[in-house]
Amino acid sequence: MNSPEIMQEDFSVHYTYTRSTGPVIGDFLTALRDKKQILGIKGSDGRTLVPPMEFDPITTEPLSEMVDVSDQGTVTSFCWVKNPIKHHHIQHPFAFATIRLDGADTDFIHMVDCGDEARISVGSRVKARWADERSGTMTDIVAFDVTGA
Amino acid sequence: MSRLAAVVGIGQTEYRSARKDVSMGGLVNEAARRALEDAGLGWDDIDAVVIGKAPDMFEGVLMPELYLADALGAVGKPMLRVHTAGSVGGSTAVVAATHVTSGTFDRILTVTFEKQSESNAMWALSIPRPFSMHLNAGAGGHFAPHIREYMRRSGAPAHVGPMVAVKDRKNALKNPLAHLQIPDISLEMVMESPMLWDPIRFLESCPSSDGACALVISSEELATKGPNKPAWIRGMAMRSETMTCKGRDEVNPLAGSECAKDVYAQAGIGNPRKEVDMAEVYVPFSWYEPMWLENLGFADEGEGWKLTEAGETEIGGSIPFNCSGGVLSTNAIGASGMIRFAESAMQVRGTAGEHQVEGAKMAVGHAYGASAQFFAMWAVSSEKP
C-alpha cells in the first residue's frame, strides 16, 4: 500500500510591529530624515537631553523646547565589537560608543566605524555619517567616523 | 486585609482602535495625569508605581515598564510590573492595593495599558513557543469550545449570546470613553454578523483597542483628604489554576469561583445576587456573561443565561453587568481588567455619568486571563466598613 501524500509547506511566522512615536520622538526622527539634523530637548534643569525625552525625568511634565545639536561630538566611553554577529548593522569590527554631541548635556549611543580598535579612545572626536536614503530611523545615521584624537 | 485602602483617583483615556497621536509613554501619562487630577494630587505625592500590561509580544517592547518610568513619575521610586495575561489589569489593581493594605506605602499610582494598534494580539497569541501548548487561533478559537460546552450543559438558547452583545453595546453608547459606538445595534445585526469561531460571531467578540487606565489608591488616613469621594476596597483576591490538569473545568473554573468566594467573605457579602448592586465583569465574548454569572455566584449552575434573557443584567435590572459597555465595547487588553475595577469604583462613588446605576453602594470588578485560569476580583463600596 502506498503511503498517502503528505502535504507540506515551509512556514515562518513574522510580524512587523509599528510604532506611534508621539510628538517629541516623532520630531526627532523626522529631523534625522528630512534635515540630517539631530535634535535634543531642554529639560527642567536646563540640560539639553539627547535623544530628546517626552517627559522630564525630574518633574514628569511634558517637554517641548527642541534644540538643534551638532552631528559632531566626543567619545565618552566605548565597547569594541571584535566579532560582529549577523544582526549587527556593521559586519566588520566596530565600536558601540557613548558620544557627547556638541551642544548636548547627555550622551548618545551609536556605532563608531573606524576599522581598528587602536583608532578610537575616550576623547576621540567623531562625526555622523548620514545615509543617502533616510527613513526616519536611528540608522539614518549609518555610523560615526573618527575625525580626530 | 490588615489596613483599609480606598480608590481616590480614577483616570482613563478615550479608547480607540488606534491612538496614533501618542507614544506609549504619552498614553499612560494621559491616564495617570487624569487619575492624579481626580485625586487632587501631584506626582510627588505618590510613593510607588505599579504597572501592568499584556505579554510583551503584544507590542514587541520588552519590559516597557523601564522606559515608561519617566512618563509615570516613577524615577527614583519603587516600580513593579505585574504579569497575568488578560487578567493583568485586575491583578495589577490588587497588587497595588495590597501595597497599601500591608502598610508598605500610603499612596500608590497604578496604571495599565495596551496599544494594540502597534501589533496584532491574535498573532502574538498564535506563535508557537517551546514547551507551551499552542493556541492555534487566538483567544476566540480557544474559548469557542468552552462556550459550546456551556451551551450543551445548560441548554441555553442560541440568542442569549447575541443579547449580551446588544446590551453591552447599548451601554457603551452611554459611555463616551468606550471604543465601539454602534447606535443602531440590534439582535438581527449581531446574528447576521459573520461567524468567526462557531458559536462566536464577529459582533459577539471584543474589539482591539488602544488605551490606558489608572488608579490612585490611598491608605485610610489619607483617603478622605481628597476632593472626591473614596471607593472603599472591601475585599480583593486573586486565584489561578494550570491550563491543563486532571479534573479541570474550563467552563466553570474552580479558581474563579474560589476567588469570588474569598472576596465575598472579606466584604461580608452573604448573597451576592442581593447584596451586590452592579458588577463589571470580564466578558470578551458574549457568552462569558452567563458563564461568569454562575462562576461568580450570581446564579446557580446552568441558570445564568436565564438572568441575561430576563434582562436582569441590564442597567435597571437586579444585577447590572458591564454598564460601561464592558470588554465587548473596549479591549485595551492590559487595561481591560483595571477598567472593570475602575468602573466598579466609579459606580459606588456615583461618578459613572449616564451609565450610573442609581444608588449603587456595593460593586464588584472582575478580570480573567489566559486560558480562563487567572482570576482577580475586588468588591468596592461607598460605605467604609
Side-chain angles (χ1 to χ4, degrees), chain B residues 18-360:
Chain B
R19 280 293 306 273
K20 292 192 172 166
D21 58 318
V22 286
S23 64
M24 280 180 213
L27 189 74
V28 294
N29 179 276
E30 192 175 300
R33 192 174 290 274
R34 288 177 182 178
L36 287 173
E37 274 167 25
D38 184 26
L41 298 172
W43 300 105
D44 290 344
D45 298 314
I46 298 298
D47 300 329
V49 178
V50 180
I51 186 168
K53 73 169 296 296
D56 290 351
M57 287 300 287
F58 282 32
E59 283 99 353
V61 178
L62 298 181
M63 302 174 78
E65 62 274 20
L66 301 182
Y67 110 91
L68 294 173
D70 295 296
L72 292 172
V75 177
K77 289 178 189 174
M79 190 186 202
L80 180 74
R81 157 98 180 267
V82 178
H83 300 251
T84 61
S87 69
V88 70
S91 310
T92 305
V94 171
V95 168
T98 305
H99 277 85
V100 175
T101 57
S102 68
T104 313
F105 299 111
D106 289 323
R107 273 197 200 109
I108 298 267
L109 170 67
T110 181
V111 188
T112 52
F113 75 99
E114 210 67 54
K115 216 158 181 301
Q116 288 217 61
S117 65
E118 302 201 1
S119 176
N120 182 322
M122 168 100 177
W123 172 83
L125 283 170
S126 301
I127 43 172
R129 263 165 291 189
F131 313 116
S132 300
M133 185 184 279
H134 186 186
L135 287 172
N136 276 296
H142 185 77
F143 291 126
H146 304 187
I147 292 170
R148 276 181 167 278
E149 172 61 7
Y150 172 77
M151 293 169 81
R152 189 193 65 80
R153 283 187 204 176
S154 66
H159 62 262
V160 170
M163 282 182 75
V164 176
V166 173
K167 185 256 305 172
D168 282 5
R169 272 52 173 274
K170 282 192 168 159
N171 287 346
L173 297 173
K174 299 175 177 173
N175 175 8
L177 300 177
H179 172 185
L180 289 188
Q181 303 281 337
I182 313 173
D184 53 346
I185 188 81
S186 68
L187 208 57
E188 297 69 45
M189 189 195 281
V190 174
M191 293 183 85
E192 282 165 15
S193 69
M195 187 65 85
L196 297 185
W197 308 275
D198 197 353
I200 308 172
R201 292 181 179 81
F202 178 70
L203 283 174
E204 290 179 88
S205 310
C206 54
S208 171
S209 315
D210 282 3
C213 180
L215 303 171
V216 178
I217 298 174
S218 273
S219 65
E220 180 179 5
E221 298 72 43
L222 298 174
T224 48
K225 296 195 169 143
N228 295 315
K229 215 177 137 182
W232 296 98
I233 301 167
R234 301 289 296 267
M236 54 183 175
M238 294 192 280
R239 290 289 188 282
S240 59
E241 58 190 39
T242 55
M243 189 168 171
T244 49
C245 63
K246 191 169 183 293
R248 169 164 136 85
D249 185 354
E250 287 96 339
V251 177
N252 193 9
L254 185 64
S257 53
E258 293 290 324
C259 184
K261 279 178 197 159
D262 189 354
V263 170
Y264 299 145
Q266 291 172 42
I269 296 168
N271 181 342
R273 173 79 196 284
K274 287 209 168 70
E275 295 166 52
V276 174
D277 297 310
M278 70 83 62
E280 281 281 340
V281 173
Y282 208 97
V283 177
F285 301 102
S286 62
W287 282 94
Y288 272 93
E289 175 172 303
M291 288 162 74
W292 293 150
L293 275 163
E294 297 170 24
N295 189 246
L296 304 182
F298 293 105
D300 290 337
E301 204 167 341
E303 304 287 313
W305 64 270
K306 293 176 186 168
L307 292 181
T308 298
E309 195 183 40
E312 297 294 352
T313 57
E314 294 171 9
I315 297 173
S318 61
I319 179 65
F321 254 45
N322 296 320
C323 305
S324 65
V327 183
L328 278 174
S329 303
T330 298
N331 191 24
I333 304 174
S336 286
M338 187 169 282
I339 299 168
R340 312 278 71 72
F341 280 51
E343 286 282 346
S344 63
M346 285 163 64
Q347 290 283 345
V348 299
R349 293 171 99 202
T351 59
E354 262 197 87
H355 61 285
Q356 177 72 43
V357 171
E358 211 176 316

